PDB file of all heavy atoms in Angstrom:
ATOM      1  N   TYR Q 681      10.218  -7.745 -15.199  1.00 55.00           N
ATOM      2  CA  TYR Q 681      10.169  -6.683 -14.198  1.00 55.00           C
ATOM      3  C   TYR Q 681      11.135  -7.032 -13.064  1.00 55.00           C
ATOM      4  O   TYR Q 681      11.299  -8.182 -12.683  1.00 55.00           O
ATOM      5  CB  TYR Q 681       8.797  -6.483 -13.595  1.00 55.00           C
ATOM      6  CG  TYR Q 681       7.743  -6.066 -14.622  1.00 55.00           C
ATOM      7  CD1 TYR Q 681       6.947  -7.012 -15.230  1.00 55.00           C
ATOM      8  CD2 TYR Q 681       7.611  -4.763 -14.949  1.00 55.00           C
ATOM      9  CE1 TYR Q 681       5.957  -6.682 -16.125  1.00 55.00           C
ATOM     10  CE2 TYR Q 681       6.678  -4.351 -15.904  1.00 55.00           C
ATOM     11  CZ  TYR Q 681       5.860  -5.316 -16.467  1.00 55.00           C
ATOM     12  OH  TYR Q 681       4.936  -4.916 -17.403  1.00 55.00           O
ATOM     13  N   VAL Q 682      11.846  -5.984 -12.548  1.00 55.00           N
ATOM     14  CA  VAL Q 682      12.711  -6.156 -11.465  1.00 55.00           C
ATOM     15  C   VAL Q 682      11.952  -5.604 -10.172  1.00 55.00           C
ATOM     16  O   VAL Q 682      11.695  -4.407 -10.106  1.00 55.00           O
ATOM     17  CB  VAL Q 682      14.039  -5.442 -11.616  1.00 55.00           C
ATOM     18  CG1 VAL Q 682      14.909  -5.579 -10.404  1.00 55.00           C
ATOM     19  CG2 VAL Q 682      14.752  -5.970 -12.878  1.00 55.00           C
ATOM     20  N   VAL Q 683      11.740  -6.444  -9.222  1.00 51.00           N
ATOM     21  CA  VAL Q 683      11.030  -6.032  -8.018  1.00 51.00           C
ATOM     22  C   VAL Q 683      11.999  -6.137  -6.856  1.00 51.00           C
ATOM     23  O   VAL Q 683      12.570  -7.185  -6.566  1.00 51.00           O
ATOM     24  CB  VAL Q 683       9.834  -6.902  -7.756  1.00 51.00           C
ATOM     25  CG1 VAL Q 683       9.105  -6.455  -6.457  1.00 51.00           C
ATOM     26  CG2 VAL Q 683       8.844  -6.895  -8.887  1.00 51.00           C
ATOM     27  N   GLU Q 684      12.283  -5.035  -6.214  1.00 60.00           N
ATOM     28  CA  GLU Q 684      13.204  -4.982  -5.125  1.00 60.00           C
ATOM     29  C   GLU Q 684      12.666  -5.705  -3.878  1.00 60.00           C
ATOM     30  O   GLU Q 684      13.356  -6.362  -3.122  1.00 60.00           O
ATOM     31  CB  GLU Q 684      13.597  -3.525  -4.704  1.00 60.00           C
ATOM     32  CG  GLU Q 684      14.247  -2.790  -5.809  1.00 60.00           C
ATOM     33  CD  GLU Q 684      13.262  -2.019  -6.625  1.00 60.00           C
ATOM     34  OE1 GLU Q 684      12.185  -1.725  -6.146  1.00 60.00           O
ATOM     35  OE2 GLU Q 684      13.573  -1.701  -7.789  1.00 60.00           O
ATOM     36  N   PHE Q 687       6.457  -9.254  -1.046  1.00 82.00           N
ATOM     37  CA  PHE Q 687       5.640  -9.360   0.212  1.00 82.00           C
ATOM     38  C   PHE Q 687       4.942 -10.737   0.184  1.00 82.00           C
ATOM     39  O   PHE Q 687       4.638 -11.295  -0.838  1.00 82.00           O
ATOM     40  CB  PHE Q 687       4.603  -8.235   0.289  1.00 82.00           C
ATOM     41  CG  PHE Q 687       5.223  -6.861   0.151  1.00 82.00           C
ATOM     42  CD1 PHE Q 687       5.105  -6.147  -1.015  1.00 82.00           C
ATOM     43  CD2 PHE Q 687       5.909  -6.329   1.229  1.00 82.00           C
ATOM     44  CE1 PHE Q 687       5.659  -4.846  -1.070  1.00 82.00           C
ATOM     45  CE2 PHE Q 687       6.467  -5.106   1.158  1.00 82.00           C
ATOM     46  CZ  PHE Q 687       6.387  -4.335   0.013  1.00 82.00           C
ATOM     47  N   LEU Q 695       0.975   1.769   3.465  1.00 83.00           N
ATOM     48  CA  LEU Q 695       0.605   2.192   2.163  1.00 83.00           C
ATOM     49  C   LEU Q 695       1.072   3.630   1.945  1.00 83.00           C
ATOM     50  O   LEU Q 695       0.778   4.489   2.792  1.00 83.00           O
ATOM     51  CB  LEU Q 695      -0.931   2.152   1.990  1.00 83.00           C
ATOM     52  CG  LEU Q 695      -1.479   2.678   0.664  1.00 83.00           C
ATOM     53  CD1 LEU Q 695      -0.954   1.834  -0.498  1.00 83.00           C
ATOM     54  CD2 LEU Q 695      -3.020   2.594   0.709  1.00 83.00           C
ATOM     55  N   LYS Q 696       1.921   3.870   0.923  1.00 83.00           N
ATOM     56  CA  LYS Q 696       2.372   5.212   0.637  1.00 83.00           C
ATOM     57  C   LYS Q 696       1.309   6.054  -0.020  1.00 83.00           C
ATOM     58  O   LYS Q 696       0.630   5.611  -0.953  1.00 83.00           O
ATOM     59  CB  LYS Q 696       3.592   5.083  -0.332  1.00 83.00           C
ATOM     60  CG  LYS Q 696       4.282   6.394  -0.619  1.00 83.00           C
ATOM     61  CD  LYS Q 696       5.453   6.150  -1.505  1.00 83.00           C
ATOM     62  CE  LYS Q 696       6.184   7.421  -1.765  1.00 83.00           C
ATOM     63  NZ  LYS Q 696       7.330   7.252  -2.696  1.00 83.00           N
ATOM     64  N   GLN Q 728       3.409 -10.093 -10.951  1.00 84.00           N
ATOM     65  CA  GLN Q 728       4.707 -10.022 -10.361  1.00 84.00           C
ATOM     66  C   GLN Q 728       4.919  -8.790  -9.497  1.00 84.00           C
ATOM     67  O   GLN Q 728       5.783  -8.771  -8.601  1.00 84.00           O
ATOM     68  CB  GLN Q 728       5.843 -10.130 -11.419  1.00 84.00           C
ATOM     69  CG  GLN Q 728       5.900 -11.407 -12.082  1.00 84.00           C
ATOM     70  CD  GLN Q 728       6.972 -11.418 -13.125  1.00 84.00           C
ATOM     71  OE1 GLN Q 728       7.529 -10.381 -13.518  1.00 84.00           O
ATOM     72  NE2 GLN Q 728       7.388 -12.663 -13.560  1.00 84.00           N
ATOM     73  N   VAL Q 729       4.143  -7.735  -9.803  1.00 86.00           N
ATOM     74  CA  VAL Q 729       4.434  -6.463  -9.161  1.00 86.00           C
ATOM     75  C   VAL Q 729       3.345  -5.761  -8.430  1.00 86.00           C
ATOM     76  O   VAL Q 729       3.432  -4.701  -7.896  1.00 86.00           O
ATOM     77  CB  VAL Q 729       5.043  -5.466 -10.189  1.00 86.00           C
ATOM     78  CG1 VAL Q 729       6.381  -5.930 -10.700  1.00 86.00           C
ATOM     79  CG2 VAL Q 729       4.033  -5.280 -11.297  1.00 86.00           C
ATOM     80  N   ALA Q 730       2.171  -6.468  -8.352  1.00 91.00           N
ATOM     81  CA  ALA Q 730       0.983  -5.863  -7.776  1.00 91.00           C
ATOM     82  C   ALA Q 730       0.443  -6.726  -6.588  1.00 91.00           C
ATOM     83  O   ALA Q 730       0.534  -7.925  -6.644  1.00 91.00           O
ATOM     84  CB  ALA Q 730      -0.148  -5.678  -8.797  1.00 91.00           C
ATOM     85  N   TYR Q 731      -0.129  -6.017  -5.579  1.00 91.00           N
ATOM     86  CA  TYR Q 731      -0.605  -6.682  -4.394  1.00 91.00           C
ATOM     87  C   TYR Q 731      -1.977  -6.132  -4.022  1.00 91.00           C
ATOM     88  O   TYR Q 731      -2.185  -4.878  -4.180  1.00 91.00           O
ATOM     89  CB  TYR Q 731       0.331  -6.530  -3.236  1.00 91.00           C
ATOM     90  CG  TYR Q 731       1.657  -7.250  -3.407  1.00 91.00           C
ATOM     91  CD1 TYR Q 731       2.688  -6.565  -4.012  1.00 91.00           C
ATOM     92  CD2 TYR Q 731       1.814  -8.559  -3.049  1.00 91.00           C
ATOM     93  CE1 TYR Q 731       3.873  -7.235  -4.200  1.00 91.00           C
ATOM     94  CE2 TYR Q 731       3.017  -9.195  -3.194  1.00 91.00           C
ATOM     95  CZ  TYR Q 731       4.039  -8.528  -3.812  1.00 91.00           C
ATOM     96  OH  TYR Q 731       5.247  -9.185  -3.988  1.00 91.00           O
ATOM     97  N   GLU Q 732      -2.918  -6.938  -3.573  1.00 92.00           N
ATOM     98  CA  GLU Q 732      -4.131  -6.475  -3.113  1.00 92.00           C
ATOM     99  C   GLU Q 732      -4.065  -6.443  -1.580  1.00 92.00           C
ATOM    100  O   GLU Q 732      -3.647  -7.363  -0.911  1.00 92.00           O
ATOM    101  CB  GLU Q 732      -5.310  -7.345  -3.520  1.00 92.00           C
ATOM    102  CG  GLU Q 732      -6.658  -6.870  -3.112  1.00 92.00           C
ATOM    103  CD  GLU Q 732      -7.817  -7.676  -3.629  1.00 92.00           C
ATOM    104  OE1 GLU Q 732      -7.558  -8.736  -4.261  1.00 92.00           O
ATOM    105  OE2 GLU Q 732      -8.915  -7.277  -3.401  1.00 92.00           O
ATOM    106  N   SER Q 744      -8.081  -1.215  -4.224  1.00 85.00           N
ATOM    107  CA  SER Q 744      -7.341  -1.977  -3.243  1.00 85.00           C
ATOM    108  C   SER Q 744      -6.153  -2.728  -3.805  1.00 85.00           C
ATOM    109  O   SER Q 744      -5.438  -3.437  -3.072  1.00 85.00           O
ATOM    110  CB  SER Q 744      -8.331  -3.041  -2.696  1.00 85.00           C
ATOM    111  OG  SER Q 744      -8.769  -3.933  -3.670  1.00 85.00           O
ATOM    112  N   VAL Q 745      -5.777  -2.507  -5.079  1.00 89.00           N
ATOM    113  CA  VAL Q 745      -4.614  -3.171  -5.671  1.00 89.00           C
ATOM    114  C   VAL Q 745      -3.537  -2.095  -5.828  1.00 89.00           C
ATOM    115  O   VAL Q 745      -3.782  -1.012  -6.428  1.00 89.00           O
ATOM    116  CB  VAL Q 745      -4.940  -3.776  -7.018  1.00 89.00           C
ATOM    117  CG1 VAL Q 745      -3.736  -4.370  -7.659  1.00 89.00           C
ATOM    118  CG2 VAL Q 745      -6.028  -4.883  -6.836  1.00 89.00           C
ATOM    119  N   PHE Q 746      -2.286  -2.387  -5.372  1.00 87.00           N
ATOM    120  CA  PHE Q 746      -1.202  -1.434  -5.378  1.00 87.00           C
ATOM    121  C   PHE Q 746       0.035  -2.051  -5.915  1.00 87.00           C
ATOM    122  O   PHE Q 746       0.298  -3.195  -5.731  1.00 87.00           O
ATOM    123  CB  PHE Q 746      -0.922  -0.854  -4.008  1.00 87.00           C
ATOM    124  CG  PHE Q 746      -2.128  -0.136  -3.420  1.00 87.00           C
ATOM    125  CD1 PHE Q 746      -2.997  -0.725  -2.585  1.00 87.00           C
ATOM    126  CD2 PHE Q 746      -2.308   1.211  -3.720  1.00 87.00           C
ATOM    127  CE1 PHE Q 746      -4.080  -0.082  -2.037  1.00 87.00           C
ATOM    128  CE2 PHE Q 746      -3.391   1.912  -3.200  1.00 87.00           C
ATOM    129  CZ  PHE Q 746      -4.264   1.252  -2.361  1.00 87.00           C
ATOM    130  N   TYR Q 747       0.821  -1.169  -6.579  1.00 85.00           N
ATOM    131  CA  TYR Q 747       2.167  -1.573  -7.079  1.00 85.00           C
ATOM    132  C   TYR Q 747       3.080  -1.800  -5.887  1.00 85.00           C
ATOM    133  O   TYR Q 747       2.914  -1.163  -4.830  1.00 85.00           O
ATOM    134  CB  TYR Q 747       2.678  -0.458  -8.011  1.00 85.00           C
ATOM    135  CG  TYR Q 747       3.876  -0.774  -8.759  1.00 85.00           C
ATOM    136  CD1 TYR Q 747       3.890  -1.661  -9.870  1.00 85.00           C
ATOM    137  CD2 TYR Q 747       5.138  -0.290  -8.362  1.00 85.00           C
ATOM    138  CE1 TYR Q 747       5.041  -1.959 -10.533  1.00 85.00           C
ATOM    139  CE2 TYR Q 747       6.292  -0.567  -9.075  1.00 85.00           C
ATOM    140  CZ  TYR Q 747       6.214  -1.444 -10.142  1.00 85.00           C
ATOM    141  OH  TYR Q 747       7.356  -1.733 -10.889  1.00 85.00           O
ATOM    142  N   ALA Q 748       4.021  -2.625  -6.056  1.00 86.00           N
ATOM    143  CA  ALA Q 748       4.932  -2.987  -4.925  1.00 86.00           C
ATOM    144  C   ALA Q 748       5.688  -1.815  -4.366  1.00 86.00           C
ATOM    145  O   ALA Q 748       5.973  -1.749  -3.156  1.00 86.00           O
ATOM    146  CB  ALA Q 748       5.951  -4.075  -5.352  1.00 86.00           C
ATOM    147  N   SER Q 749       5.954  -0.795  -5.164  1.00 84.00           N
ATOM    148  CA  SER Q 749       6.715   0.412  -4.734  1.00 84.00           C
ATOM    149  C   SER Q 749       5.814   1.249  -3.806  1.00 84.00           C
ATOM    150  O   SER Q 749       6.343   2.185  -3.104  1.00 84.00           O
ATOM    151  CB  SER Q 749       7.247   1.204  -5.839  1.00 84.00           C
ATOM    152  OG  SER Q 749       6.219   1.737  -6.600  1.00 84.00           O
ATOM    153  N   MET Q 750       4.529   1.021  -3.838  1.00 84.00           N
ATOM    154  CA  MET Q 750       3.575   1.857  -2.983  1.00 84.00           C
ATOM    155  C   MET Q 750       3.465   1.267  -1.554  1.00 84.00           C
ATOM    156  O   MET Q 750       2.744   1.830  -0.783  1.00 84.00           O
ATOM    157  CB  MET Q 750       2.219   1.936  -3.658  1.00 84.00           C
ATOM    158  CG  MET Q 750       2.195   2.627  -4.947  1.00 84.00           C
ATOM    159  SD  MET Q 750       2.626   4.413  -4.830  1.00 84.00           S
ATOM    160  CE  MET Q 750       1.107   4.948  -4.031  1.00 84.00           C
ATOM    161  N   LEU Q 751       4.099   0.096  -1.323  1.00 87.00           N
ATOM    162  CA  LEU Q 751       3.956  -0.592  -0.051  1.00 87.00           C
ATOM    163  C   LEU Q 751       5.270  -0.544   0.692  1.00 87.00           C
ATOM    164  O   LEU Q 751       6.380  -0.554   0.054  1.00 87.00           O
ATOM    165  CB  LEU Q 751       3.513  -2.029  -0.238  1.00 87.00           C
ATOM    166  CG  LEU Q 751       2.166  -2.189  -0.922  1.00 87.00           C
ATOM    167  CD1 LEU Q 751       1.964  -3.649  -1.163  1.00 87.00           C
ATOM    168  CD2 LEU Q 751       1.030  -1.633  -0.043  1.00 87.00           C
ATOM    169  N   CYS Q 752       5.228  -0.492   1.989  1.00 84.00           N
ATOM    170  CA  CYS Q 752       6.469  -0.403   2.824  1.00 84.00           C
ATOM    171  C   CYS Q 752       6.241  -1.452   3.958  1.00 84.00           C
ATOM    172  O   CYS Q 752       5.129  -1.552   4.582  1.00 84.00           O
ATOM    173  CB  CYS Q 752       6.628   1.003   3.337  1.00 84.00           C
ATOM    174  SG  CYS Q 752       8.058   1.127   4.420  1.00 84.00           S
TER     175      CYS Q 752
END
Side-chain angles (χ1 to χ4, degrees):
Y681 297 96
V682 177
V683 179
E684 299 90 23
F687 304 105
L695 176 62
K696 184 177 181 181
Q728 293 181 343
V729 294
Y731 294 89
E732 183 176 5
S744 63
V745 177
F746 297 96
Y747 189 74
S749 67
M750 297 292 290
L751 300 173
C752 179

